């Protein structure tokens, strides 16, 4: 992309082939807003984007990732965001609706991802300064009203009644279901139903994840 102001490409492969050098050219700022973490559908595409990102230890380089709550749907996503954050990126969660993905590089390039189609996503790449400045202003406005990842996770604490906290404690202590059910004074079937309800409330796919989620939310165990 040299003298073109607007470029449309179809699919990850064409985006990387025609505009991948733009990721490598990032010098001072890399901003990303996304509804979820699934924009780059193919593993090789994600790797290519990662490899093309300019490695820098400069304190002048900033990376911001703005996501909607749906991006925190599972523990793998949360772990990924914590890793991104540990590497120096700023991560915030927004309650405002976000597009599939918007990337702004050095306030001079914008990359917009469209919906998934049978032939792949359509991407629009622009260097039009009027468009770039407009998208950048919108990003900053939403960013300023969003909350950082740790604060969001701490504040998004589900309500647990006394029995729920006992169940959480039982899961963390390694009690058998039979022993835990006896402690609560309920049948084994009722106990297991309540465990399933608790896992759903904590957005966990397993008992182990429920324990991780409880620690993440700083719930008593």
């Amino acid at each position: 992309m040299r003298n073109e102001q607007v470029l449309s490409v179809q699919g990850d492969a064409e985006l990387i082939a025609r505009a991948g050098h733009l990721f490598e050219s990032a010098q001072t700022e890399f901003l990303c807003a996304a509804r979820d973490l699934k924009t780059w559908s193919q593993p090789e595409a994600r790797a290519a984007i990662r490899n093309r990102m300019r490695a820098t230890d400069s304190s002048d380089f900033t990376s911001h990732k703005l996501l909607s709550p749906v991006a925190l749907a599972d523990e793998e996503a949360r772990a990924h965001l914590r890793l991104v954050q540990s590497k120096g990126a700023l991560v915030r969660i927004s309650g405002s609706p976000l597009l599939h993905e918007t990337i702004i590089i050095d306030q001079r390039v914008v990359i917009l991802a469209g919906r998934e189609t049978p032939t792949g996503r359509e991407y629009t790449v622009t260097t039009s300064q009027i468009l770039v400045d407009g998208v950048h202003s919108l990003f900053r406005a939403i960013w300023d009203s969003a909350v950082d990842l740790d604060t969001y996770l701490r504040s998004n604490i589900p309500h647990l009644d006394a029995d729920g906290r006992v169940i959480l404690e039982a899961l963390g202590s390694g009690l058998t279901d039979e022993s835990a059910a006896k402690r609560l004074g309920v049948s084994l079937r009722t106990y297991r139903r309540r465990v399933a309800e608790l896992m759903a409330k904590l957005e966990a796919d397993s008992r182990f994840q429920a324990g991780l989620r409880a620690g993440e939310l700083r719930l008593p165990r």
Side-chain angles (χ1 to χ4, degrees):
M1 187 172 180
R2 294 179 174 84
N3 298 322
E4 299 163 284
Q5 282 200 320
V6 179
L7 169 69
S8 292
V9 298
Q10 193 73 32
D12 296 350
E14 187 180 358
L15 173 68
I16 293 166
R18 300 189 63 183
H21 62 283
L22 296 172
F23 292 88
E24 189 176 32
S25 71
Q27 298 285 331
T28 60
E29 186 180 67
F30 186 85
L31 310 180
C32 174
R35 194 184 75 87
D36 54 46
L37 301 178
K38 299 178 181 178
T39 297
W40 314 111
S41 57
Q42 302 300 318
E44 56 269 24
R46 291 196 296 271
I49 295 299
R50 228 174 15 249
N51 292 337
R52 282 185 178 272
M53 276 299 298
R54 181 176 181 270
T56 178
D57 295 324
S58 172
S59 59
D60 296 329
F61 185 85
T62 60
S63 178
H64 295 61
K65 201 160 185 69
L66 180 65
L67 298 159
S68 66
V70 73
L72 305 175
D74 55 57
E75 180 59 31
E76 182 180 355
R78 295 188 186 101
H80 171 74
L81 290 176
R82 284 193 291 268
L83 176 62
V84 167
Q85 190 173 243
S86 72
K87 292 183 179 296
L90 302 177
V91 182
R92 289 191 180 183
I93 308 300
S94 171
S96 302
L98 299 175
L99 297 177
H100 295 283
E101 185 143 341
T102 301
I103 289 174
I104 309 171
I105 301 172
D106 293 343
Q107 206 172 338
R108 60 182 174 78
V109 179
V110 164
I111 301 172
L112 302 172
R115 292 182 179 277
E116 184 66 70
T117 71
T119 56
R121 292 184 189 277
E122 181 177 340
Y123 296 93
T124 299
V125 186
T126 181
T127 56
S128 167
Q129 201 58 54
I130 291 176
L131 295 177
V132 171
D133 289 345
V135 174
H136 189 273
S137 294
L138 289 174
F139 180 98
R140 283 295 180 180
I142 299 174
W143 177 267
D144 288 344
S145 64
V147 297
D148 69 82
L149 177 64
D150 292 336
T151 300
Y152 182 87
L153 290 175
R154 285 197 300 269
S155 64
N156 188 31
I157 298 177
H159 172 72
L160 297 183
D161 58 19
D163 284 354
R165 293 180 184 274
V166 171
I167 291 171
L168 194 59
E169 181 182 358
L171 293 177
S173 65
L175 282 178
T176 65
D177 286 0
E178 291 78 5
S179 297
K182 185 176 180 180
R183 175 180 294 185
L184 279 170
V186 298
S187 68
L188 181 59
R189 181 177 180 180
T190 297
Y191 173 76
R192 287 176 173 166
R193 175 176 57 79
R194 291 187 179 177
V195 169
E197 292 171 351
L198 176 65
M199 288 169 55
K201 186 172 288 189
L202 293 175
E203 299 177 348
D205 296 324
S206 68
R207 296 183 178 200
F208 176 70
Q209 278 193 5
L212 291 177
R213 181 72 170 133
E216 178 182 89
L217 294 172
R218 293 175 171 80
L219 296 175
R221 297 178 57 181

